[in-house]
C-alpha cells in the first residue's frame, strides 16, 4: 500500500515538474503560452481517463516513468539520451479502464522505465535532462507520432 501511494505521489510530482519545464520553454518562445503550442491538462477528465498530462502542438502527451508498464501502447522509434535517463516514445490508443477503453485520440507517451525511488532521488537530475533536451524530445516525439498516425488512418 505504502509503495503504491509513494509511486502515485512520485508520479504526480514527476508530471508536474516536466509540465513546468514545458511551460517555461514555451514562455521563452513567446511571453504568453499559446494553447495551440502547449496546454496543461492536469486534473482534467483527459488526464484522469486517458493519462493525458499536457498537449504539445495539439497532441496529447503522457509523461511517465512507467514506460514498460503502459498497456495498449506501441513503442515508437527514436530515443533521446540524457545523463540520467533515456527518453523513449510510444503511442497509446486506450487503457484497461472497464476492460478496455479506446481513447478518442491516440496519446504520445514520453518517458522511461525506472523505480519510483530512483525517480524521487534523482528528480532534479531527470528534470534537468528533460530541460536540456526538450527541443529534441518534442521534435523526435512529434515526428514519430505523426508518422504513426499516417500509418493508422482510422484515427484521423
Amino acid at each position: 500500500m505504502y509503495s503504491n501511494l509513494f509511486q502515485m505521489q512520485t508520479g504526480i510530482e514527476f508530471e508536474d515538474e516536466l509540465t513546468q519545464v514545458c511551460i517555461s520553454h514555451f514562455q521563452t518562445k513567446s511571453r504568453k503560452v499559446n494553447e495551440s503550442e502547449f496546454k496543461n491538462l492536469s486534473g482534467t477528465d483527459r488526464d484522469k481517463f486517458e493519462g493525458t498530462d499536457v498537449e504539445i502542438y495539439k497532441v496529447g502527451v503522457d509523461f511517465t516513468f512507467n514506460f514498460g508498464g503502459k498497456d495498449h501502447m506501441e513503442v515508437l522509434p527514436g530515443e533521446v539520451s540524457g545523463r540520467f535517463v533515456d527518453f523513449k516514445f510510444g503511442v497509446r490508443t486506450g487503457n484497461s479502464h472497464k476492460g478496455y477503453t479506446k481513447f478518442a485520440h491516440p496519446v504520445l507517451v514520453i518517458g522511461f522505465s525506472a523505480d519510483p525511488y530512483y525517480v524521487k532521488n534523482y528528480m532534479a537530475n531527470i528534470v534537468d535532462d528533460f530541460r536540456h533536451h526538450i527541443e529534441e524530445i518534442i521534435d523526435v516525439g512529434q515526428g514519430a507520432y505523426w508518422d504513426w498516425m499516417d500509418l493508422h488512418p482510422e484515427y484521423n
Side-chain angles (χ1 to χ4, degrees), residues 60-74:
V61 175
D62 176 22
F63 297 128
T64 186
F65 60 82
N66 185 27
F67 190 84
K70 293 290 182 180
D71 58 3
H72 310 289
M73 182 184 77
E74 186 176 328

Side-chain angles (χ1 to χ4, degrees), residues 30-90:
S30 59
R31 289 179 98 52
K32 185 175 189 288
V33 178
N34 185 327
E35 284 192 2
S36 67
E37 292 179 321
F38 179 81
K39 185 176 183 180
N40 184 355
L41 298 172
S42 180
T44 66
D45 282 349
R46 285 189 62 198
D47 182 18
K48 292 175 192 169
F49 300 114
E50 297 181 9
T52 306
D53 303 314
V54 301
E55 269 187 5
I56 299 174
Y57 299 117
K58 300 285 188 181
V59 173
V61 175
D62 176 22
F63 297 128
T64 186
F65 60 82
N66 185 27
F67 190 84
K70 293 290 182 180
D71 58 3
H72 310 289
M73 182 184 77
E74 186 176 328
V75 176
L76 297 174
E79 185 174 298
V80 176
S81 297
R83 288 184 13 215
F84 290 84
V85 296
D86 296 332
F87 294 94
K88 300 177 186 317
F89 306 93

